[in-house]
Structures are given as C-alpha cells and as structure tokens.
Amino acid sequence: MKHAAPEGGIGARLPRLEDPRLLVGGGCFVDDLQVPGMLHLDILRSPHAHARIGAIDASAARALPGVAAVYTGAELAQFLRALPSAGGLQGFSAPEHHALAIERVRFVGEGVAAVLASDRYLARDACEAIRVDYEPLPAVTDPEAALAVCAPVLHEALHGNRAFELRIGNDTAEALAGAERVVRGRFVNQRIVPNTMETRGALAHFEPWQERLTVWLSTQAPHLMRRELARLLDFPEHRLRVVAPDVGGAFGAKNNPYAEELLAAALSLRHRVPVKWIEERQEHMLATSHARAQTVEVSAGVRADGTLCALHYRLVADMGAYYHAITHVGPMMTAALMTGAYRIAHAATDIVAVFTNTTPTDPYRGFGRAEAAYFVERTMDLVARELGLDPLELRRRNLIGRGEFPFATPTGHVHESGDFGLCLERALARLDYEGARREQARLRTVGRYLGIGLATHVWRAGFPSVPGGKGYVVSGWERSTVSLDPSGTARAVIGTSPHGQGIVTTTAQIVAEALGIRPQDVRVIHGDTDALAHGNGTMGSRSLVVGGSATWLAARQLREQATRLAAHLLRLPADRLVLRDGGFADREDPAKRITLAAVAAHAQAGPRDLPAGMASSLEATALFEQPNFVTCFGTHVCVVEVEPQTGEVRILRYIAVDDAGRAVNPTVVEGQLHGGLAQGIGQALLEEAVYDTAGQPLAASFLEYATPRAGDLPRFEVELTETPSSVNPLGARGIGEAGTVGAPPAVVNAVLDALAPLGVRHLDMPLTPQKVWRAIREARA
Amino acid sequence: MKIALRVNSQDVEAEVEPRLLLVHFLRERLRLTGTHIGCDTSQCGACTVHLDGRAVKSCSLLAVQADGCAITTIEGLAADGVLHPLQAAFHEHHALQCGFCTPGMVMAAHELLGRTPMPDEAQIRAALEGNRCRCTGYQNIVDAIRAACERAGGCT
Ligand code: FES
Ligand code: FES
C-alpha cells in the first residue's frame, strides 16, 4: 500500500499547534491552578553554608493567624523517607539526604523548616517568625580544597569529602610516554544555574474519600515522579496521579524528585488538604540543582604529524552537598565522550567526585556531554597552538572519517553512525574560512583583535536502559498509543512530557504522515499519568528519537490495521489501496473508496464483519528503545572581536551546522538550536554561580546572575544536515542539546584565538569583560 | 482597602490588602493567569501588563497603586477570537517555546511598536532588555516583532 504524504507531514515547517493557547494567556502552569481550601507551603532555608542546628523555636510562627502547621526536619523524618540519593545505588557510599535538614545544614538554601498557611504571604510571615539557633561550622566550596586532609568534612559517616573515584578508559601511561609531545592544560567548566523561566512548583491534592492523590508538578518526567512519590510516601502507585501541566522550561533541572514537591504531597496526605508550593526565583538559585562544576587536568599526547595518540584527564567533579537523583552520572558521561569527534587510541579519565558546601548538581541541557565537548575542543586548540598548526588542520587530521562507523572509543562508547566532516565543511564554506583568516591577519596589523573559534562537537542522545538497574532507574524505552476516532480524527498519547520542545506538533506530524491525515486532526495527549499508564519523560534529547519513534511505530501499526480493514470492506487486496485525503482508494479505480472515518466507525461498531484476528477498535501501542545512544554532531564557528580597552567580547558571526538525522519540523529544530546556543553562549560569556570562601552564594538573583538577554546575543546562522541515524526508525538525531554542547568551546576558542598574539594561553569561563581585560593587561605588562 | 479600576475594558472593584502585589491581584483574584511571575527582583518581565497604555512590571506595583487606572493584560489583546497581529507573528515565526515568557514579551513588544513604529533590530533587542526568555535565544522573537510592524507598515 502506498500513500501520499499529507500537507504538514514529516519535513514540513508547520507552525506549532501548541502556540495559540500560550499566546493569549491560556496556558496552564502549576501556579495558575487553584483548588478550594488549598494551603500554601513555604520553606525556611539555611542562611549558613555549614552549621549545626540547635534549638528551633516555632511557637511564634505557630501562633500566627492562618498558620496550619510548622514542621522541622526531625519532625518530618518520623513519617517521611529520605530523598533518593542515587550514588548509593552504584556501590558508592551516599550521604542521607532529607527533605528538611536534620541536625546539620550543608549549603545555603537547604530547607530547615516547613510552614503551611492559608496564603503565601502568611506562610512567608510565619517563616520569618521561626527562630533557629545555628552553630556555624567551617565550610568548603572549592572542590580541590575539599579534598585536602584538613578540609571541613561534610558527611562524617563517609570518608572525607571524596564522593567516589572511578577510572574510565584504557591504558594511557605508555602512549603518553611514547608521544613526541605532551600538551598539558587545566580547564574549568564552571558551575551554572538552569534558571528555567518558570521556577519549580507543585500542587498536591489528596481526596480522602476517593483515596486518590493528584500532584500537579512542574516536571519533565511525570511517570518517574509518580513512581518516586509512591515509594517515598508509601502511597499505592495506582491511586497516585501526577500531571505535568504546561511547564515553563526544565532543561534537565526538573527531573529530580526534590524535597519541596515531596513535602507538598506528604503534607497534603497528612493534613487532608490541597497544598501548593511555588518556588521563588531567589529560592531557585539555591534550591534547584546547579550544573556542570567540573575541572580537568589534561595531558594530550601528540605525534609529530599532528595526530593525537593519547588523552588523559584527571576530572574533579563537584557533586554539591548531597547527591540528587543522578548527580554522579555527569562525570561518567564526560569520561565516556572525552575523545569527542576524534580518533584517539588511548584515552582515560580518572574521576574524583567531591562533596562541597554548595547546592547539589544534577542535569542541565548537555549534562556531562557539554563538559566533554568543551574539554576536548579546548584541548584541540591548545594542541594546535603548541604545534603551530591551524586548529582546523589539526581537526581534519584527527576527525573520525565517514567510513569508520560504527566507531568504538577507548572509553566504552560506540558512535553508531555519522559524518562529522560534512558539518565541518558546510560551516567552513558558509564562513569562508580562508577569507576570515586573511581579514584577521589584516586587522591585527592595525591593533584589532579578531578571533575565529571552531567546535567540531559530538554528543549522544536517547540513552538505552541499563539492565538490572536498581533504585532510581530511568529506563531507555518510550511508549506511545495512537488511535483513530470513529469520526476519522486521531489521538496520540505519549510518554514523553514536552515543555517547549514542540513535541505536540512533531508528534502530530508523524501521525499525520503515517495515516495520511492533517496534523490538525491529531490530538496529542501527554504529561498525565492517568492518560498513559507508563512512560519515562523528556530528557537527554530523547523525545523525538525515542518517543517520536514509538509514535511512528504505533501509527504505522495502526495504518496496517486500517488498511487491512479497508481492504476487507472494499473486497480488494490490501496492496491495491492508496491512502490519501483521509481515505483509502483503489489504485486502479479511484471511485472505489472508503474514508478513514468509515473504516474507524466500522471497527468501533463491534466485532462483526472484521478481518480475522482484528479487535473492534483501531488502536496501536508501541514501545521503542534504541539499542545504543544516537550519535549527535555538528560544527560551530564563532567569530568575535575583542575590544582591548574594555575586555568586551563582541560576537560578529555565529554559524551552527548540526545534523538532525531527519528534521520532522525544521523550524522547530532550528528553534531548539537557537535556544541551546543562547544558553551555551550564556555559559561562555556571562553565567556563573559563584560562592565566596565562606559558602555564601554571590549570584542569588537575576541581579547578579546574568542569563543572556536579547541584546547579549548575535543573530545565529543555523544550517541543518540530515545524515540518517542507524538506531531509530525515523533516522532522527537529538538536537535539543546541540547548542549548549557546541557553543561554549566555539566562543571560548574564538576569544582565545583573538588574544593569541598577546600570548594569553587560556581563560576559564565566563569570559566577562573584566576577566578578559585583566588578562590583556597582564599579558602586556 | 477598596480599589476601582478597569481591567481589559471591564470595571472591577475590590477590597485588597495594602501589601497585595498587582500581579497577585490579577492572577489570583481576577484569575487572569496569563500574566506570569518569573522573578522577585523585577528583572524578567514575565509579569508585563499595560497600565494606562504604558508597559509596567506588575510584580513591582501594589494593587492599590492601580486604583483608578486602566489595565490591559495578555488576555485583553486578542479580539473576538482573532490573534492580535503581534500574537500571530509570534506564532508564524516560532517565537515561543515553553510560552512562559511569551505574554510579557508580547506586551513589551506591543508598547515598543506604539512608541517606535519603525524599530531596527538593535532597537528591538534593546527594548527587550527587561524581558528574559530562556528558551528561544530571542532571534525568532525579534523576527516576529519586525514582521508585525512591517505588516503594520512600519519597520526599516
Ligand atoms: S516577575 Fe515581574 S519582572 Fe520578574
Ligand atoms: S519561551 Fe520559554 S522562556 Fe521564553
């Protein structure tokens, strides 16, 4: 059976179906919801980075009008389990992490007491009325310092502040010893804050007579949260419903089962009232996961011909004060991808993971992989400079070639397929690389500092399951159910939980393509655990490659069913049918025709006159999991001018060529790239979660923490290539994280290229005017 | 305290606490939840509404300060089920992803076009200084605003 692609199917630049509602103020985010009688939860947070908690006097708070209850950590622990602390599941000793601190606080912002009150203003008043005696303890925020013998110890039950140590890779000592040259460097991928525009929030509603608990959460993984809440609350999972309504960005930071969401649910159960908690921005800066916070010491072994023969990292990874759900995975992913797009036979990372008196770290767009790309791309530039080679030339000599896939790295990762050179050559052509180099040389003679930075980045998306995983497991499969209504419209219920990625539109396009109908006639339902029994969620750029593939498979199965039934009703062989314009027609006699609606209505009518073995509704469910991560790649080129008088960095051009595998909606794909680029450029130039040595955060609001604004960013020149992937039926590759992976090295390489004539070898992000200006001044002195 | 104001062309009277923020009044009392809250330091613009025709951050005003004023929120922009040209341009140019910053962006852009009928790209980017978006990278927002004003006969 053939079918003609409908308008708006795969590949169409369809304007998003989710937009109109959001444009007129008709979105529904957690804080937009009200349930009669709901109480507001507020959290009193520690002002100290490290302190023993003495007496807590909540009597004044409890006496305030409108205050229903106040809880301390010790009181809560009597009926509430500790939070998931995933490190422990991997054989590493994990500290206990409670929803509210017990006896000791270990970072500024850690919850100390919880208040329930009739409105949010009163809840805040009550927090302010609680008196806590703290005995401050010495704090440590620098991970290297935390490793020192005399450093203050965060978790006395563990051995010092070393969370775990792990080596990933093969032998590098011999290869390094045999290298003609060893280039060394130290790079910091600084701590940053996700800063979704919608902060976190929860509304928990326990209905005792129905024995039902509904929790609306600003989350990217409602099914995972259902499982975790059920476990932590000892509440039957089948009576628990988690809904992700509209979610205002997540970027990896809304995967974790956090204390506050758990508290809202626990207190709703205990008090038998609806409980709402909405995070404030300043709380978000302290209480939502931070990210990155990795430092490497690099040794790169190079042969005289400019090929790399060995790469070794000592990687210090800052876990923060506790583990969140998958904190420990970040450095492991960095290690797995440390060789980037290059053929390096010997590579290993020695990971040292450390606890410090800071907010716990966890995923953020590019988790582990952005760090890997940054380190290896900076290494390539450093090596090129020491060898006196053009960084482009060095990359060409080491890039994995088109014919070398699947390519196994020495760190246990297999690149399934790819064409790294394709993106590189496209980007260069767009820039006119030679011309740009000539212009740079000319401007240098008149005292102007132009820099060209390259990143030929590689990352991976759509993780497979880890067999036999225990405890906090995130499975690699995704599930979709597609059905036909008796009127001929379709619905897709999906297990991913989009929150800005445009997956409603792309899902509708995939179903439309498979069924030969308009995407407008497909309703996509997501984010509700009552609508789909099982799913995993949106994270790690898996929504299209894994979830979209499940939808594609389900829709194809549904089409086969419909075709069989249509053939049966038309008394024709199935291969004579063409599916177009919402119906099946005989290829040889188009007048013989039956609409999709008539087919669906016939099936619905009951189990009579159906082909053998067919059930009486047109519905198909498919589960899909990739056998391996999909390899994602691209080349970014950034051209900057550095103003030597002020240290200001101006981005003159930003070219991003990334491979989408298959772009279901190129407009949406480009949008994903834009957003990632903004975040990546933000990390390169503006953002940092700084602590002082006493553990006080110095960037705790938008006043001090600079997410990029419109005027901080250039116009992006974005191009897509489409090299089909081998691990999913759509051939798609992840794109959501490409920008945050590629932009930091491209920008930093550009700035250091600009500063090269001054002899500046390396600067750590963010490259603020002050830092750049100081480096120029020191270099000139 | 008693206040009387016009919100989206409707008269509203209410009894409010003096410390109630305008944004909470709009969202929680009037249930106009299209106006969002993204920060607590007047830095994100998610709460932007029009007060007597000027774009203001409703998180940095008290409800009582709006007494006697006319307010337009995002809910008041589309007329009779038809998107305002700015809203339509945001849709066509993929200028929103999660949609959380969007109402504030549209309200800020609306004021810009009233004030500067022919803004160039740099002026648009500068005018959005008080509005943060974490999803789009702004380019499509800028393009949408330009398209809307081109359609209205402005923009260079
Ligand atoms: S909420 Fe008003 S500026 Fe952020
Ligand atoms: S669209 Fe998500 S913050 Fe702007």
Side-chain angles (χ1 to χ4, degrees), chain A residues 197 248, chain B residues 96-102 132-136:
Chain A
M197 283 315 300
Chain B
L96 62 153
Q97 290 185 24
C98 78
F100 195 79
C101 71
T102 310
R132 282 173 205 253
C133 173
R134 194 58 156 165
C135 296
T136 64

PDB file of all heavy atoms in Angstrom, chain A residues 197 248, chain B residues 96-102 132-136, ligand 2:
ATOM      1  N   MET A 197      12.484  29.724  33.104  1.00  0.00           N
ATOM      2  CA  MET A 197      11.742  30.951  33.403  1.00  0.00           C
ATOM      3  C   MET A 197      10.588  30.684  34.369  1.00  0.00           C
ATOM      4  O   MET A 197      10.267  31.508  35.202  1.00  0.00           O
ATOM      5  CB  MET A 197      11.238  31.629  32.124  1.00  0.00           C
ATOM      6  CG  MET A 197      12.313  32.396  31.367  1.00  0.00           C
ATOM      7  SD  MET A 197      13.380  33.443  32.406  1.00  0.00           S
ATOM      8  CE  MET A 197      12.183  34.543  33.131  1.00  0.00           C
ATOM      9  N   GLY A 248       7.140  25.577  32.193  1.00  0.00           N
ATOM     10  CA  GLY A 248       7.869  26.709  31.613  1.00  0.00           C
ATOM     11  C   GLY A 248       9.366  26.503  31.548  1.00  0.00           C
ATOM     12  O   GLY A 248      10.140  27.264  32.108  1.00  0.00           O
TER      13      GLY A 248
ATOM     14  N   LEU B  96       8.022  31.338  20.323  1.00  0.00           N
ATOM     15  CA  LEU B  96       7.796  30.862  21.689  1.00  0.00           C
ATOM     16  C   LEU B  96       8.073  29.373  21.737  1.00  0.00           C
ATOM     17  O   LEU B  96       7.870  28.667  20.755  1.00  0.00           O
ATOM     18  CB  LEU B  96       6.369  31.146  22.162  1.00  0.00           C
ATOM     19  CG  LEU B  96       5.209  30.513  21.417  1.00  0.00           C
ATOM     20  CD1 LEU B  96       4.021  30.330  22.336  1.00  0.00           C
ATOM     21  CD2 LEU B  96       4.819  31.367  20.226  1.00  0.00           C
ATOM     22  N   GLN B  97       8.567  28.939  22.861  1.00  0.00           N
ATOM     23  CA  GLN B  97       8.758  27.502  23.068  1.00  0.00           C
ATOM     24  C   GLN B  97       7.927  27.070  24.267  1.00  0.00           C
ATOM     25  O   GLN B  97       6.813  26.588  24.104  1.00  0.00           O
ATOM     26  CB  GLN B  97      10.247  27.181  23.179  1.00  0.00           C
ATOM     27  CG  GLN B  97      10.940  27.357  21.808  1.00  0.00           C
ATOM     28  CD  GLN B  97      12.394  26.958  21.783  1.00  0.00           C
ATOM     29  OE1 GLN B  97      12.859  26.170  22.585  1.00  0.00           O
ATOM     30  NE2 GLN B  97      13.151  27.507  20.835  1.00  0.00           N
ATOM     31  N   CYS B  98       8.428  27.275  25.472  1.00  0.00           N
ATOM     32  CA  CYS B  98       7.597  26.881  26.610  1.00  0.00           C
ATOM     33  C   CYS B  98       6.431  27.836  26.810  1.00  0.00           C
ATOM     34  O   CYS B  98       5.446  27.496  27.447  1.00  0.00           O
ATOM     35  CB  CYS B  98       8.424  26.780  27.886  1.00  0.00           C
ATOM     36  SG  CYS B  98       8.816  28.360  28.658  1.00  0.00           S
ATOM     37  N   GLY B  99       6.572  29.057  26.312  1.00  0.00           N
ATOM     38  CA  GLY B  99       5.475  30.009  26.389  1.00  0.00           C
ATOM     39  C   GLY B  99       5.378  30.775  27.693  1.00  0.00           C
ATOM     40  O   GLY B  99       4.452  31.568  27.881  1.00  0.00           O
ATOM     41  N   PHE B 100       6.304  30.563  28.586  1.00  0.00           N
ATOM     42  CA  PHE B 100       6.179  31.207  29.894  1.00  0.00           C
ATOM     43  C   PHE B 100       6.494  32.701  29.828  1.00  0.00           C
ATOM     44  O   PHE B 100       5.831  33.514  30.454  1.00  0.00           O
ATOM     45  CB  PHE B 100       7.080  30.519  30.924  1.00  0.00           C
ATOM     46  CG  PHE B 100       6.743  30.898  32.333  1.00  0.00           C
ATOM     47  CD1 PHE B 100       5.655  30.320  32.981  1.00  0.00           C
ATOM     48  CD2 PHE B 100       7.494  31.845  33.026  1.00  0.00           C
ATOM     49  CE1 PHE B 100       5.320  30.680  34.283  1.00  0.00           C
ATOM     50  CE2 PHE B 100       7.163  32.207  34.329  1.00  0.00           C
ATOM     51  CZ  PHE B 100       6.081  31.620  34.956  1.00  0.00           C
ATOM     52  N   CYS B 101       7.510  33.059  29.042  1.00  0.00           N
ATOM     53  CA  CYS B 101       7.872  34.475  28.933  1.00  0.00           C
ATOM     54  C   CYS B 101       6.966  35.204  27.949  1.00  0.00           C
ATOM     55  O   CYS B 101       6.972  36.434  27.883  1.00  0.00           O
ATOM     56  CB  CYS B 101       9.320  34.611  28.458  1.00  0.00           C
ATOM     57  SG  CYS B 101       9.520  34.131  26.723  1.00  0.00           S
ATOM     58  N   THR B 102       6.225  34.421  27.150  1.00  0.00           N
ATOM     59  CA  THR B 102       5.554  34.962  25.967  1.00  0.00           C
ATOM     60  C   THR B 102       4.577  36.114  26.247  1.00  0.00           C
ATOM     61  O   THR B 102       4.657  37.149  25.581  1.00  0.00           O
ATOM     62  CB  THR B 102       4.852  33.813  25.219  1.00  0.00           C
ATOM     63  OG1 THR B 102       5.805  32.759  25.034  1.00  0.00           O
ATOM     64  CG2 THR B 102       4.314  34.262  23.883  1.00  0.00           C
ATOM     65  N   ARG B 132      13.217  38.534  29.956  1.00  0.00           N
ATOM     66  CA  ARG B 132      14.097  37.388  29.769  1.00  0.00           C
ATOM     67  C   ARG B 132      13.333  36.196  29.220  1.00  0.00           C
ATOM     68  O   ARG B 132      12.208  35.923  29.640  1.00  0.00           O
ATOM     69  CB  ARG B 132      14.719  36.966  31.101  1.00  0.00           C
ATOM     70  CG  ARG B 132      15.855  37.855  31.518  1.00  0.00           C
ATOM     71  CD  ARG B 132      16.312  37.484  32.912  1.00  0.00           C
ATOM     72  NE  ARG B 132      16.940  38.642  33.513  1.00  0.00           N
ATOM     73  CZ  ARG B 132      18.249  38.760  33.703  1.00  0.00           C
ATOM     74  NH1 ARG B 132      19.057  37.776  33.371  1.00  0.00           N
ATOM     75  NH2 ARG B 132      18.747  39.844  34.240  1.00  0.00           N
ATOM     76  N   CYS B 133      14.008  35.503  28.303  1.00  0.00           N
ATOM     77  CA  CYS B 133      13.500  34.245  27.783  1.00  0.00           C
ATOM     78  C   CYS B 133      14.642  33.258  27.905  1.00  0.00           C
ATOM     79  O   CYS B 133      15.777  33.594  27.618  1.00  0.00           O
ATOM     80  CB  CYS B 133      13.092  34.405  26.319  1.00  0.00           C
ATOM     81  SG  CYS B 133      12.650  32.832  25.547  1.00  0.00           S
ATOM     82  N   ARG B 134      14.357  32.035  28.348  1.00  0.00           N
ATOM     83  CA  ARG B 134      15.431  31.057  28.476  1.00  0.00           C
ATOM     84  C   ARG B 134      15.361  30.038  27.338  1.00  0.00           C
ATOM     85  O   ARG B 134      16.234  29.197  27.230  1.00  0.00           O
ATOM     86  CB  ARG B 134      15.298  30.355  29.832  1.00  0.00           C
ATOM     87  CG  ARG B 134      16.502  29.540  30.295  1.00  0.00           C
ATOM     88  CD  ARG B 134      17.799  30.304  30.409  1.00  0.00           C
ATOM     89  NE  ARG B 134      18.739  29.694  31.340  1.00  0.00           N
ATOM     90  CZ  ARG B 134      20.032  30.004  31.393  1.00  0.00           C
ATOM     91  NH1 ARG B 134      20.547  30.906  30.557  1.00  0.00           N
ATOM     92  NH2 ARG B 134      20.822  29.438  32.282  1.00  0.00           N
ATOM     93  N   CYS B 135      14.322  30.099  26.518  1.00  0.00           N
ATOM     94  CA  CYS B 135      14.113  29.029  25.537  1.00  0.00           C
ATOM     95  C   CYS B 135      14.508  29.387  24.112  1.00  0.00           C
ATOM     96  O   CYS B 135      15.036  28.548  23.402  1.00  0.00           O
ATOM     97  CB  CYS B 135      12.645  28.627  25.490  1.00  0.00           C
ATOM     98  SG  CYS B 135      11.979  27.915  26.990  1.00  0.00           S
ATOM     99  N   THR B 136      14.195  30.576  23.664  1.00  0.00           N
ATOM    100  CA  THR B 136      14.201  30.828  22.216  1.00  0.00           C
ATOM    101  C   THR B 136      15.496  31.406  21.670  1.00  0.00           C
ATOM    102  O   THR B 136      15.691  31.415  20.455  1.00  0.00           O
ATOM    103  CB  THR B 136      13.103  31.837  21.828  1.00  0.00           C
ATOM    104  OG1 THR B 136      13.409  33.094  22.460  1.00  0.00           O
ATOM    105  CG2 THR B 136      11.733  31.368  22.277  1.00  0.00           C
TER     106      THR B 136
HETATM  107  S1  FES C   2       9.639  30.602  25.559  1.00  0.00           S
HETATM  108 FE1  FES C   2      10.302  29.649  27.392  1.00  0.00          FE
HETATM  109  S2  FES C   2      11.092  31.333  28.464  1.00  0.00           S
HETATM  110 FE2  FES C   2      10.641  32.199  26.572  1.00  0.00          FE
END
